[in-house]
Amino acid sequence: MAQHRNEIRFLLNGAPVVLRDLQAQDTLLDYLRLERRLTGTKEGCAEGDCGACTVLVGRLCEGALVYETVNACIRFVASLDGCHVVTIEHLRGAEGGLHPVQQAMVDAHGSQCGFCTPGIVMSLYALWMHAPEPTDEQIEVALQGNLCRCTGYEPIFKAARAAGTLGKPEADPLLAERAMVTAALAAMHDGQRVALGGAILPTDVEDFAQVLAENPDATIIAGATDVGLWVTKMMKSITPAVFIGHLSVLRRVMLTDRALRIGAGASYSEVEALLAQAFPYMLPYWHRIAGWQVRNMGTVGGNIANGSPIGDTPPVFIALGAKLHLRSTAGVREVLLEEFFIDYGKQDLRAGEFVEAVELPLAEAGVLHAAYKVSKRRDEDITAVAAGFAVKVERGVITRARIAFGGMAATPKRARLAEAALEGQPFAEASFEAAAKAVGDDFAPLTDWRASAEYRSLVAANLFRRFWLEQGAAREAAE
């Protein structure tokens, strides 16, 4: 058995923390507010939607210190081993006064009741560190996960634009502390398994497989953007819980001349750059997934492994012909993503097995792609219908179609009848109209609070028409 210790170590603002009395379900928000009385971090929704609890978490990534916004309400303390937590109380200007982002919020009158303000400041602080002169699009993305119900976003946007004129990241105290923090975090990574209060942090992937073999019913926690709600909303027990966010091997994303390989522990944010390079059409879709904080925490592997019929990534990945690498102490096996989902809540995972990576084959010449998400809100909303299209056209004829939907059945699923209606047909509006009619026989969707069955069926049909308008009509006009 690997050596292990019974304590969690991390930095909180400027001080080291060692915790031995800890339970797997203890959240960072409760720890900050109840144990440390750092009440600038607020509790609003307790499900990662409103952003009032936003803090920064710094971690070592390939030796470099990276800070990301996260929702403290669904971040478990056990996942913070070897990290640096930064709260609103730690922000300060170069001379000890207000930080440039805080001063900009004051000057622009960016706060009324003030409840959401600390979380907004932390999101804008993270943006300021990366882009002190942000575009409006960058500001929108940074604020996707922050809800303000009384101030209005225009003064907050003004503050985001002005912060860079009041100070530059080069003078930020957090930057001056970076060498000290990097050294402190590196010293905490001792290569030992951590076990306390029902939480287990394996030392590496091999140890993870061993832990899961010993605890096949354990809850695997990567980003906790789903599991966090099991605790805060459903009051469920998650012990024993295996935390894997610290396993750097599972966070690797690699682009070859053949495929994009995404480690199951890689967050949406970590995947974004190479995904945009390999599949540029997918970037707008990617930004429709949750908000910035959730994309910093949530993982692609978790989105797949939890088997939700409305998961955002499976439909677009199935359309690409993605396959999974599943690992256990017995070795690694490969499964097509479309075959992984067996039924509602049932996936092709054997006892002690976990998703190690997903592999996306690069597009062939002549293949037209699209990714669609339909939801009630544009940003940070759960999906009603999601779809991925991959249509190959050769000499004006559709030779292959792979089209998958989420939200239309108990699992993410291909639209086989609609595909058959397209294949062998001319690349023409009439062919997509026929597919739009055929898709109604592919699925029998349910009615729930997200959408009615009739609405889902209509949306699915209309997405074929949208695909033609975007791809076919534009191509005809160009010719």
Side-chain angles (χ1 to χ4, degrees):
M1 180 183 292
Q3 286 188 313
H4 67 278
R5 55 182 161 89
N6 304 109
E7 61 185 26
I8 296 292
R9 307 167 182 168
F10 61 95
L11 293 180
L12 174 58
N13 294 327
V17 174
V18 178
L19 296 179
R20 300 182 181 89
D21 184 13
L22 181 72
Q23 299 300 310
Q25 68 271 15
D26 291 347
T27 66
L28 174 57
L29 179 62
D30 283 349
Y31 174 74
L32 293 176
R33 291 183 59 82
L34 303 179
E35 300 296 327
R36 303 304 296 260
R37 305 303 298 167
L38 295 172
T39 54
T41 306
K42 307 300 184 184
E43 178 173 357
C45 66
E47 59 186 47
D49 269 347
C50 73
C53 66
T54 302
V55 299
L56 294 191
V57 171
R59 58 184 175 83
L60 293 181
C61 180
E62 304 295 336
L65 184 57
V66 176
Y67 286 95
E68 297 170 314
T69 55
V70 306
N71 296 117
C73 66
I74 53 173
R75 182 70 183 251
F76 295 114
V77 178
S79 71
L80 297 171
D81 192 60
C83 293
H84 181 204
V85 179
V86 181
T87 70
I88 188 74
E89 289 85 358
H90 199 53
L91 263 65
R92 60 195 186 280
E95 303 300 323
L98 289 178
H99 188 275
V101 174
Q102 294 171 314
Q103 188 62 57
M105 286 285 282
V106 172
D107 295 345
H109 305 286
S111 175
Q112 285 190 34
C113 81
F115 186 86
C116 67
T117 304
I120 287 173
V121 167
M122 294 305 288
S123 290
L124 294 184
Y125 176 43
L127 174 65
W128 174 83
M129 282 200 294
H130 297 294
E133 298 179 1
T135 65
D136 283 356
E137 182 181 3
Q138 288 174 315
I139 299 171
E140 287 179 3
V141 170
L143 293 174
Q144 278 178 318
N146 291 91
L147 177 65
C148 180
R149 298 190 64 172
C150 58
T151 303
Y153 284 88
E154 184 56 34
I156 298 171
F157 266 64
K158 289 179 180 177
R161 298 186 193 106
T165 67
L166 300 176
K168 300 300 181 185
E170 292 78 11
D172 187 47
L174 197 62
L175 182 65
E177 299 168 357
R178 190 160 292 226
M180 179 273 291
V181 171
T182 300
L185 298 188
M188 293 178 184
H189 289 272
D190 56 11
Q192 295 189 55
R193 181 192 291 184
V194 179
L196 77 164
I200 305 170
L201 282 71
T203 184
D204 53 30
V205 173
E206 289 74 20
D207 191 37
F208 175 27
Q210 185 60 44
V211 169
L212 208 55
E214 298 165 358
N215 303 273
D217 296 325
T219 305
I220 300 174
I221 301 176
T225 55
D226 188 25
V227 176
L229 276 66
W230 299 3
V231 172
T232 63
K233 297 299 182 182
M234 304 176 195
M235 311 302 173
K236 289 176 62 175
S237 171
I238 59 171
T239 57
V242 184
F243 290 83
I244 62 170
H246 62 292
L247 299 180
S248 58
V249 171
L250 291 182
R251 301 188 80 125
R252 288 178 184 163
V253 185
M254 296 179 291
L255 179 60
T256 69
D257 58 359
R258 207 173 45 84
L260 177 66
R261 188 182 191 277
I262 301 171
S267 71
Y268 296 103
S269 295
E270 289 172 315
V271 170
E272 184 175 310
L274 287 181
L275 184 86
Q277 183 178 333
F279 307 101
Y281 73 93
M282 215 182 289
L283 186 58
Y285 182 89
W286 214 246
H287 285 167
R288 294 282 311 280
I289 299 174
W292 196 19
Q293 296 94 321
V294 170
R295 289 197 299 274
N296 288 337
M297 290 173 57
T299 66
V300 170
N303 191 241
I304 292 170
N306 71 13
S308 170
I310 55 166
D312 288 301
T313 62
V316 291
F317 287 180
I318 288 172
L320 292 172
K323 61 182 177 182
L324 298 180
H325 296 234
L326 307 179
R327 182 165 181 161
S328 68
T329 53
V332 178
R333 68 184 178 103
E334 293 183 357
V335 174
L336 286 174
L337 179 57
E338 64 190 273
E339 297 175 356
F340 177 71
F341 304 104
I342 299 171
D343 202 347
Y344 182 78
K346 183 177 176 62
Q347 295 83 49
D348 183 10
L349 273 176
R350 299 168 184 169
E353 200 169 48
F354 60 92
V355 179
E356 182 179 40
V358 57
E359 190 172 298
L360 309 179
L362 299 188
E364 305 172 42
V367 177
L368 303 175
H369 292 97
Y372 300 124
K373 171 171 175 159
V374 179
S375 56
K376 291 182 179 179
R377 297 193 307 265
R378 179 181 180 276
D379 291 319
E380 199 181 23
D381 197 8
I382 199 164
T383 297
V385 176
F389 282 65
V391 179
K392 186 169 185 177
V393 180
E394 297 178 281
R395 296 184 180 89
V397 175
I398 301 169
T399 58
R400 188 175 71 242
R402 290 183 62 91
I403 299 160
F405 282 88
M408 295 291 292
T411 64
K413 187 178 174 184
R414 284 176 65 180
R416 298 282 187 176
L417 296 176
E419 291 175 354
L422 289 172
E423 290 177 349
Q425 299 302 310
F427 186 61
E429 183 177 5
S431 301
F432 285 89
E433 190 61 38
K437 295 175 181 176
V439 77
D441 295 323
D442 269 310
F443 304 104
L446 297 175
T447 293
D448 57 23
W449 60 271
R450 288 180 292 273
S452 67
E454 294 78 13
Y455 175 79
R456 286 185 160 110
S457 295
L458 180 60
V459 163
N462 283 342
L463 289 179
F464 285 88
R465 300 178 178 112
R466 177 177 174 179
F467 183 87
W468 167 253
L469 291 172
E470 291 178 345
Q471 303 283 352
R475 186 165 168 168
E476 282 186 341
E479 293 174 351

